[in-house]
PDB file of all heavy atoms in Angstrom:
ATOM      1  N   LYS A   1      85.498 116.387 119.639  1.00  0.00           N
ATOM      2  CA  LYS A   1      86.005 117.738 119.765  1.00  0.00           C
ATOM      3  C   LYS A   1      85.121 118.734 119.068  1.00  0.00           C
ATOM      4  O   LYS A   1      84.813 119.803 119.615  1.00  0.00           O
ATOM      5  CB  LYS A   1      87.404 117.914 119.362  1.00  0.00           C
ATOM      6  CG  LYS A   1      88.070 119.276 119.404  1.00  0.00           C
ATOM      7  CD  LYS A   1      89.475 119.470 119.046  1.00  0.00           C
ATOM      8  CE  LYS A   1      90.024 120.690 119.140  1.00  0.00           C
ATOM      9  NZ  LYS A   1      91.454 120.811 118.684  1.00  0.00           N
ATOM     10  N   TYR A   2      84.807 118.466 117.814  1.00  0.00           N
ATOM     11  CA  TYR A   2      84.029 119.364 116.946  1.00  0.00           C
ATOM     12  C   TYR A   2      82.538 119.048 116.779  1.00  0.00           C
ATOM     13  O   TYR A   2      81.924 119.643 116.098  1.00  0.00           O
ATOM     14  CB  TYR A   2      84.672 119.332 115.484  1.00  0.00           C
ATOM     15  CG  TYR A   2      86.019 119.965 115.607  1.00  0.00           C
ATOM     16  CD1 TYR A   2      87.178 119.194 115.541  1.00  0.00           C
ATOM     17  CD2 TYR A   2      86.239 121.462 115.744  1.00  0.00           C
ATOM     18  CE1 TYR A   2      88.526 119.734 115.504  1.00  0.00           C
ATOM     19  CE2 TYR A   2      87.536 121.972 115.773  1.00  0.00           C
ATOM     20  CZ  TYR A   2      88.628 121.229 115.724  1.00  0.00           C
ATOM     21  OH  TYR A   2      89.948 121.703 115.721  1.00  0.00           O
ATOM     22  N   LYS A   3      82.096 118.049 117.510  1.00  0.00           N
ATOM     23  CA  LYS A   3      80.661 117.631 117.554  1.00  0.00           C
ATOM     24  C   LYS A   3      80.147 117.368 116.161  1.00  0.00           C
ATOM     25  O   LYS A   3      79.130 117.754 115.793  1.00  0.00           O
ATOM     26  CB  LYS A   3      79.872 118.724 118.224  1.00  0.00           C
ATOM     27  CG  LYS A   3      80.418 119.050 119.606  1.00  0.00           C
ATOM     28  CD  LYS A   3      79.509 118.619 120.712  1.00  0.00           C
ATOM     29  CE  LYS A   3      79.949 119.199 122.061  1.00  0.00           C
ATOM     30  NZ  LYS A   3      81.247 118.652 122.619  1.00  0.00           N
ATOM     31  N   VAL A   4      80.939 116.645 115.459  1.00  0.00           N
ATOM     32  CA  VAL A   4      80.474 116.167 113.991  1.00  0.00           C
ATOM     33  C   VAL A   4      80.607 114.647 113.933  1.00  0.00           C
ATOM     34  O   VAL A   4      81.446 113.991 114.537  1.00  0.00           O
ATOM     35  CB  VAL A   4      81.327 116.804 112.884  1.00  0.00           C
ATOM     36  CG1 VAL A   4      81.088 118.343 112.972  1.00  0.00           C
ATOM     37  CG2 VAL A   4      82.773 116.503 113.152  1.00  0.00           C
ATOM     38  N   PRO A   5      79.712 114.003 113.123  1.00  0.00           N
ATOM     39  CA  PRO A   5      79.829 112.583 112.974  1.00  0.00           C
ATOM     40  C   PRO A   5      80.957 112.198 111.969  1.00  0.00           C
ATOM     41  O   PRO A   5      81.400 113.029 111.184  1.00  0.00           O
ATOM     42  CB  PRO A   5      78.492 112.129 112.362  1.00  0.00           C
ATOM     43  CG  PRO A   5      78.005 113.537 111.599  1.00  0.00           C
ATOM     44  CD  PRO A   5      78.596 114.605 112.471  1.00  0.00           C
ATOM     45  N   VAL A   6      81.457 110.978 112.184  1.00  0.00           N
ATOM     46  CA  VAL A   6      82.359 110.401 111.288  1.00  0.00           C
ATOM     47  C   VAL A   6      81.698 109.402 110.281  1.00  0.00           C
ATOM     48  O   VAL A   6      80.842 108.719 110.696  1.00  0.00           O
ATOM     49  CB  VAL A   6      83.478 109.603 112.185  1.00  0.00           C
ATOM     50  CG1 VAL A   6      84.462 108.970 111.254  1.00  0.00           C
ATOM     51  CG2 VAL A   6      84.233 110.652 112.945  1.00  0.00           C
ATOM     52  N   PHE A   7      82.131 109.557 109.130  1.00  0.00           N
ATOM     53  CA  PHE A   7      81.479 108.680 108.087  1.00  0.00           C
ATOM     54  C   PHE A   7      82.735 108.216 107.184  1.00  0.00           C
ATOM     55  O   PHE A   7      83.465 109.103 106.675  1.00  0.00           O
ATOM     56  CB  PHE A   7      80.494 109.502 107.247  1.00  0.00           C
ATOM     57  CG  PHE A   7      79.902 108.717 106.139  1.00  0.00           C
ATOM     58  CD1 PHE A   7      79.124 107.566 106.320  1.00  0.00           C
ATOM     59  CD2 PHE A   7      80.350 108.913 104.786  1.00  0.00           C
ATOM     60  CE1 PHE A   7      78.565 106.837 105.255  1.00  0.00           C
ATOM     61  CE2 PHE A   7      79.800 108.155 103.713  1.00  0.00           C
ATOM     62  CZ  PHE A   7      78.984 107.078 103.935  1.00  0.00           C
ATOM     63  N   CYS A   8      82.924 106.984 106.809  1.00  0.00           N
ATOM     64  CA  CYS A   8      83.880 106.449 105.939  1.00  0.00           C
ATOM     65  C   CYS A   8      83.205 106.408 104.571  1.00  0.00           C
ATOM     66  O   CYS A   8      82.428 105.505 104.305  1.00  0.00           O
ATOM     67  CB  CYS A   8      84.414 105.082 106.473  1.00  0.00           C
ATOM     68  SG  CYS A   8      85.625 104.382 105.353  1.00  0.00           S
ATOM     69  N   GLY A   9      83.413 107.369 103.881  1.00  0.00           N
ATOM     70  CA  GLY A   9      82.769 107.558 102.522  1.00  0.00           C
ATOM     71  C   GLY A   9      83.022 106.386 101.516  1.00  0.00           C
ATOM     72  O   GLY A   9      81.925 106.045 100.986  1.00  0.00           O
ATOM     73  N   GLU A  10      84.077 105.986 101.262  1.00  0.00           N
ATOM     74  CA  GLU A  10      84.250 105.032 100.181  1.00  0.00           C
ATOM     75  C   GLU A  10      85.434 104.138 100.555  1.00  0.00           C
ATOM     76  O   GLU A  10      86.477 104.631 100.861  1.00  0.00           O
ATOM     77  CB  GLU A  10      84.592 105.650  98.844  1.00  0.00           C
ATOM     78  CG  GLU A  10      83.413 106.602  98.358  1.00  0.00           C
ATOM     79  CD  GLU A  10      83.771 107.523  97.306  1.00  0.00           C
ATOM     80  OE1 GLU A  10      84.923 107.544  96.864  1.00  0.00           O
ATOM     81  OE2 GLU A  10      82.825 108.092  96.656  1.00  0.00           O
ATOM     82  N   TRP A  11      85.217 102.853 100.500  1.00  0.00           N
ATOM     83  CA  TRP A  11      86.355 101.884 100.706  1.00  0.00           C
ATOM     84  C   TRP A  11      86.123 100.681  99.947  1.00  0.00           C
ATOM     85  O   TRP A  11      84.978 100.339  99.603  1.00  0.00           O
ATOM     86  CB  TRP A  11      86.597 101.541 102.165  1.00  0.00           C
ATOM     87  CG  TRP A  11      85.456 100.911 102.930  1.00  0.00           C
ATOM     88  CD1 TRP A  11      84.252 101.423 103.248  1.00  0.00           C
ATOM     89  CD2 TRP A  11      85.215  99.555 103.191  1.00  0.00           C
ATOM     90  NE1 TRP A  11      83.402 100.513 103.927  1.00  0.00           N
ATOM     91  CE2 TRP A  11      83.975  99.253 103.753  1.00  0.00           C
ATOM     92  CE3 TRP A  11      86.053  98.356 102.867  1.00  0.00           C
ATOM     93  CZ2 TRP A  11      83.549  97.982 104.091  1.00  0.00           C
ATOM     94  CZ3 TRP A  11      85.640  97.162 103.301  1.00  0.00           C
ATOM     95  CH2 TRP A  11      84.433  96.934 103.882  1.00  0.00           C
ATOM     96  N   GLY A  12      87.095  99.881  99.688  1.00  0.00           N
ATOM     97  CA  GLY A  12      86.974  98.660  98.932  1.00  0.00           C
ATOM     98  C   GLY A  12      88.341  98.183  98.416  1.00  0.00           C
ATOM     99  O   GLY A  12      89.366  98.773  98.850  1.00  0.00           O
ATOM    100  N   SER A  13      88.465  97.171  97.668  1.00  0.00           N
ATOM    101  CA  SER A  13      89.689  96.682  97.162  1.00  0.00           C
ATOM    102  C   SER A  13      89.678  96.430  95.733  1.00  0.00           C
ATOM    103  O   SER A  13      88.573  95.952  95.132  1.00  0.00           O
ATOM    104  CB  SER A  13      90.103  95.374  97.885  1.00  0.00           C
ATOM    105  OG  SER A  13      89.022  94.379  97.767  1.00  0.00           O
ATOM    106  N   TYR A  14      90.574  96.766  94.965  1.00  0.00           N
ATOM    107  CA  TYR A  14      90.697  96.769  93.499  1.00  0.00           C
ATOM    108  C   TYR A  14      90.943  95.347  92.923  1.00  0.00           C
ATOM    109  O   TYR A  14      91.961  94.726  93.230  1.00  0.00           O
ATOM    110  CB  TYR A  14      91.756  97.726  93.006  1.00  0.00           C
ATOM    111  CG  TYR A  14      91.764  98.078  91.570  1.00  0.00           C
ATOM    112  CD1 TYR A  14      90.522  98.334  90.994  1.00  0.00           C
ATOM    113  CD2 TYR A  14      92.857  98.241  91.013  1.00  0.00           C
ATOM    114  CE1 TYR A  14      90.545  98.664  89.485  1.00  0.00           C
ATOM    115  CE2 TYR A  14      92.965  98.633  89.575  1.00  0.00           C
ATOM    116  CZ  TYR A  14      91.734  98.780  88.844  1.00  0.00           C
ATOM    117  OH  TYR A  14      91.812  99.071  87.545  1.00  0.00           O
ATOM    118  N   LYS A  15      89.924  94.821  92.295  1.00  0.00           N
ATOM    119  CA  LYS A  15      90.026  93.426  91.774  1.00  0.00           C
ATOM    120  C   LYS A  15      91.362  93.177  90.842  1.00  0.00           C
ATOM    121  O   LYS A  15      91.852  92.157  90.969  1.00  0.00           O
ATOM    122  CB  LYS A  15      88.879  93.097  90.880  1.00  0.00           C
ATOM    123  CG  LYS A  15      87.670  92.748  91.614  1.00  0.00           C
ATOM    124  CD  LYS A  15      86.555  92.432  90.581  1.00  0.00           C
ATOM    125  CE  LYS A  15      85.323  91.948  91.283  1.00  0.00           C
ATOM    126  NZ  LYS A  15      84.386  91.474  90.235  1.00  0.00           N
ATOM    127  N   LYS A  16      91.847  94.181  90.145  1.00  0.00           N
ATOM    128  CA  LYS A  16      92.911  93.937  89.299  1.00  0.00           C
ATOM    129  C   LYS A  16      94.193  93.668  89.996  1.00  0.00           C
ATOM    130  O   LYS A  16      95.017  92.971  89.410  1.00  0.00           O
ATOM    131  CB  LYS A  16      93.069  95.266  88.367  1.00  0.00           C
ATOM    132  CG  LYS A  16      94.192  95.199  87.371  1.00  0.00           C
ATOM    133  CD  LYS A  16      94.162  96.434  86.542  1.00  0.00           C
ATOM    134  CE  LYS A  16      95.306  96.299  85.536  1.00  0.00           C
ATOM    135  NZ  LYS A  16      95.397  97.511  84.702  1.00  0.00           N
ATOM    136  N   TYR A  17      94.328  93.985  91.190  1.00  0.00           N
ATOM    137  CA  TYR A  17      95.636  93.907  91.970  1.00  0.00           C
ATOM    138  C   TYR A  17      95.498  93.049  93.167  1.00  0.00           C
ATOM    139  O   TYR A  17      96.495  92.740  93.873  1.00  0.00           O
ATOM    140  CB  TYR A  17      96.215  95.261  92.260  1.00  0.00           C
ATOM    141  CG  TYR A  17      96.629  96.043  90.993  1.00  0.00           C
ATOM    142  CD1 TYR A  17      95.765  97.183  90.767  1.00  0.00           C
ATOM    143  CD2 TYR A  17      97.511  95.559  90.138  1.00  0.00           C
ATOM    144  CE1 TYR A  17      96.165  97.958  89.588  1.00  0.00           C
ATOM    145  CE2 TYR A  17      97.827  96.403  88.930  1.00  0.00           C
ATOM    146  CZ  TYR A  17      97.167  97.566  88.772  1.00  0.00           C
ATOM    147  OH  TYR A  17      97.446  98.207  87.674  1.00  0.00           O
ATOM    148  N   ALA A  18      94.406  92.542  93.478  1.00  0.00           N
ATOM    149  CA  ALA A  18      94.181  91.718  94.675  1.00  0.00           C
ATOM    150  C   ALA A  18      93.350  90.479  94.385  1.00  0.00           C
ATOM    151  O   ALA A  18      92.338  90.528  93.754  1.00  0.00           O
ATOM    152  CB  ALA A  18      93.518  92.466  95.821  1.00  0.00           C
ATOM    153  N   ASP A  19      93.821  89.392  94.867  1.00  0.00           N
ATOM    154  CA  ASP A  19      93.079  88.056  94.633  1.00  0.00           C
ATOM    155  C   ASP A  19      91.937  88.014  95.528  1.00  0.00           C
ATOM    156  O   ASP A  19      91.837  88.818  96.484  1.00  0.00           O
ATOM    157  CB  ASP A  19      93.997  86.903  94.759  1.00  0.00           C
ATOM    158  CG  ASP A  19      94.598  86.678  96.158  1.00  0.00           C
ATOM    159  OD1 ASP A  19      93.934  87.139  97.169  1.00  0.00           O
ATOM    160  OD2 ASP A  19      95.685  86.253  96.318  1.00  0.00           O
ATOM    161  N   ALA A  20      91.056  87.064  95.322  1.00  0.00           N
ATOM    162  CA  ALA A  20      89.798  86.966  95.997  1.00  0.00           C
ATOM    163  C   ALA A  20      89.977  86.799  97.560  1.00  0.00           C
ATOM    164  O   ALA A  20      89.360  87.425  98.427  1.00  0.00           O
ATOM    165  CB  ALA A  20      88.871  85.858  95.413  1.00  0.00           C
ATOM    166  N   ALA A  21      90.978  85.991  97.880  1.00  0.00           N
ATOM    167  CA  ALA A  21      91.225  85.690  99.321  1.00  0.00           C
ATOM    168  C   ALA A  21      91.692  86.954 100.015  1.00  0.00           C
ATOM    169  O   ALA A  21      91.247  87.372 101.093  1.00  0.00           O
ATOM    170  CB  ALA A  21      92.224  84.601  99.475  1.00  0.00           C
ATOM    171  N   SER A  22      92.529  87.752  99.354  1.00  0.00           N
ATOM    172  CA  SER A  22      93.039  88.949  99.945  1.00  0.00           C
ATOM    173  C   SER A  22      91.901  90.044 100.129  1.00  0.00           C
ATOM    174  O   SER A  22      91.792  90.629 101.147  1.00  0.00           O
ATOM    175  CB  SER A  22      94.089  89.659  99.144  1.00  0.00           C
ATOM    176  OG  SER A  22      95.363  88.690  99.097  1.00  0.00           O
ATOM    177  N   ARG A  23      91.090  90.009  99.081  1.00  0.00           N
ATOM    178  CA  ARG A  23      89.946  90.997  99.106  1.00  0.00           C
ATOM    179  C   ARG A  23      88.987  90.606 100.278  1.00  0.00           C
ATOM    180  O   ARG A  23      88.448  91.479 100.955  1.00  0.00           O
ATOM    181  CB  ARG A  23      89.227  90.977  97.791  1.00  0.00           C
ATOM    182  CG  ARG A  23      90.165  91.581  96.695  1.00  0.00           C
ATOM    183  CD  ARG A  23      89.459  91.539  95.332  1.00  0.00           C
ATOM    184  NE  ARG A  23      88.630  92.727  95.381  1.00  0.00           N
ATOM    185  CZ  ARG A  23      87.327  92.667  94.866  1.00  0.00           C
ATOM    186  NH1 ARG A  23      86.833  91.464  94.554  1.00  0.00           N
ATOM    187  NH2 ARG A  23      86.610  93.623  95.000  1.00  0.00           N
ATOM    188  N   CYS A  24      88.809  89.302 100.463  1.00  0.00           N
ATOM    189  CA  CYS A  24      87.907  88.951 101.589  1.00  0.00           C
ATOM    190  C   CYS A  24      88.536  89.253 102.928  1.00  0.00           C
ATOM    191  O   CYS A  24      87.718  89.728 103.844  1.00  0.00           O
ATOM    192  CB  CYS A  24      87.573  87.389 101.448  1.00  0.00           C
ATOM    193  SG  CYS A  24      86.595  86.953 100.088  1.00  0.00           S
ATOM    194  N   ARG A  25      89.848  89.026 103.097  1.00  0.00           N
ATOM    195  CA  ARG A  25      90.474  89.370 104.462  1.00  0.00           C
ATOM    196  C   ARG A  25      90.425  90.855 104.599  1.00  0.00           C
ATOM    197  O   ARG A  25      90.050  91.310 105.804  1.00  0.00           O
ATOM    198  CB  ARG A  25      91.948  88.882 104.355  1.00  0.00           C
ATOM    199  CG  ARG A  25      91.986  87.441 104.550  1.00  0.00           C
ATOM    200  CD  ARG A  25      93.442  86.999 104.804  1.00  0.00           C
ATOM    201  NE  ARG A  25      94.420  87.492 103.760  1.00  0.00           N
ATOM    202  CZ  ARG A  25      94.753  86.787 102.650  1.00  0.00           C
ATOM    203  NH1 ARG A  25      94.105  85.604 102.420  1.00  0.00           N
ATOM    204  NH2 ARG A  25      95.597  87.250 101.774  1.00  0.00           N
ATOM    205  N   TYR A  26      90.642  91.681 103.540  1.00  0.00           N
ATOM    206  CA  TYR A  26      90.594  93.088 103.732  1.00  0.00           C
ATOM    207  C   TYR A  26      89.167  93.535 104.119  1.00  0.00           C
ATOM    208  O   TYR A  26      89.014  94.359 104.919  1.00  0.00           O
ATOM    209  CB  TYR A  26      91.086  93.805 102.347  1.00  0.00           C
ATOM    210  CG  TYR A  26      90.805  95.354 102.394  1.00  0.00           C
ATOM    211  CD1 TYR A  26      91.746  96.043 103.007  1.00  0.00           C
ATOM    212  CD2 TYR A  26      89.699  95.811 101.755  1.00  0.00           C
ATOM    213  CE1 TYR A  26      91.620  97.473 102.866  1.00  0.00           C
ATOM    214  CE2 TYR A  26      89.592  97.220 101.679  1.00  0.00           C
ATOM    215  CZ  TYR A  26      90.552  98.009 102.323  1.00  0.00           C
ATOM    216  OH  TYR A  26      90.324  99.439 102.353  1.00  0.00           O
ATOM    217  N   THR A  27      88.155  93.060 103.366  1.00  0.00           N
ATOM    218  CA  THR A  27      86.738  93.473 103.631  1.00  0.00           C
ATOM    219  C   THR A  27      86.424  93.044 105.062  1.00  0.00           C
ATOM    220  O   THR A  27      85.728  93.907 105.774  1.00  0.00           O
ATOM    221  CB  THR A  27      85.855  92.701 102.576  1.00  0.00           C
ATOM    222  OG1 THR A  27      86.254  93.242 101.237  1.00  0.00           O
ATOM    223  CG2 THR A  27      84.350  93.010 102.840  1.00  0.00           C
ATOM    224  N   THR A  28      86.664  91.905 105.537  1.00  0.00           N
ATOM    225  CA  THR A  28      86.447  91.412 106.851  1.00  0.00           C
ATOM    226  C   THR A  28      87.134  92.323 107.823  1.00  0.00           C
ATOM    227  O   THR A  28      86.353  92.781 108.919  1.00  0.00           O
ATOM    228  CB  THR A  28      86.902  89.988 107.061  1.00  0.00           C
ATOM    229  OG1 THR A  28      86.233  89.142 106.173  1.00  0.00           O
ATOM    230  CG2 THR A  28      86.736  89.481 108.475  1.00  0.00           C
ATOM    231  N   ALA A  29      88.264  92.638 107.659  1.00  0.00           N
ATOM    232  CA  ALA A  29      89.023  93.455 108.640  1.00  0.00           C
ATOM    233  C   ALA A  29      88.426  94.976 108.713  1.00  0.00           C
ATOM    234  O   ALA A  29      88.238  95.496 109.746  1.00  0.00           O
ATOM    235  CB  ALA A  29      90.524  93.642 108.362  1.00  0.00           C
ATOM    236  N   ILE A  30      88.252  95.539 107.507  1.00  0.00           N
ATOM    237  CA  ILE A  30      87.822  96.970 107.530  1.00  0.00           C
ATOM    238  C   ILE A  30      86.293  97.075 108.019  1.00  0.00           C
ATOM    239  O   ILE A  30      86.061  97.896 108.896  1.00  0.00           O
ATOM    240  CB  ILE A  30      87.970  97.570 106.131  1.00  0.00           C
ATOM    241  CG1 ILE A  30      89.575  97.645 105.704  1.00  0.00           C
ATOM    242  CG2 ILE A  30      87.379  98.963 106.106  1.00  0.00           C
ATOM    243  CD1 ILE A  30      90.365  98.333 106.642  1.00  0.00           C
ATOM    244  N   LYS A  31      85.510  96.200 107.469  1.00  0.00           N
ATOM    245  CA  LYS A  31      84.130  96.229 107.871  1.00  0.00           C
ATOM    246  C   LYS A  31      84.032  95.882 109.366  1.00  0.00           C
ATOM    247  O   LYS A  31      83.214  96.639 110.075  1.00  0.00           O
ATOM    248  CB  LYS A  31      83.287  95.209 107.192  1.00  0.00           C
ATOM    249  CG  LYS A  31      81.781  95.167 107.574  1.00  0.00           C
ATOM    250  CD  LYS A  31      81.061  94.190 106.737  1.00  0.00           C
ATOM    251  CE  LYS A  31      79.581  94.103 107.222  1.00  0.00           C
ATOM    252  NZ  LYS A  31      79.379  93.837 108.658  1.00  0.00           N
ATOM    253  N   GLY A  32      84.766  95.006 109.908  1.00  0.00           N
ATOM    254  CA  GLY A  32      84.788  94.700 111.349  1.00  0.00           C
ATOM    255  C   GLY A  32      85.201  95.920 112.166  1.00  0.00           C
ATOM    256  O   GLY A  32      84.563  96.184 113.239  1.00  0.00           O
ATOM    257  N   LEU A  33      86.153  96.677 111.792  1.00  0.00           N
ATOM    258  CA  LEU A  33      86.678  97.849 112.562  1.00  0.00           C
ATOM    259  C   LEU A  33      85.666  98.878 112.527  1.00  0.00           C
ATOM    260  O   LEU A  33      85.248  99.584 113.546  1.00  0.00           O
ATOM    261  CB  LEU A  33      88.043  98.254 111.969  1.00  0.00           C
ATOM    262  CG  LEU A  33      89.216  97.461 112.362  1.00  0.00           C
ATOM    263  CD1 LEU A  33      90.431  98.054 111.456  1.00  0.00           C
ATOM    264  CD2 LEU A  33      89.541  97.642 113.789  1.00  0.00           C
TER     265      LEU A  33
END
């Protein structure tokens, strides 16, 4: 509509509250999308 690019500036998962397996699933899902 506005002829501008989309950029996802910052994403990730916080180690303090998510275990490694959850972080991997999240990374896989978001990066894939």
Side-chain angles (χ1 to χ4, degrees):
K1 181 178 179 180
Y2 293 103
K3 310 250 186 290
V4 295
V6 173
F7 177 74
C8 180
E10 299 169 353
W11 65 278
S13 55
Y14 191 41
K15 283 183 173 183
K16 184 175 180 179
Y17 298 112
D19 62 33
S22 296
R23 296 179 76 230
C24 287
R25 287 191 303 272
Y26 173 80
T27 300
T28 299
I30 299 302
K31 183 181 178 303
L33 286 170

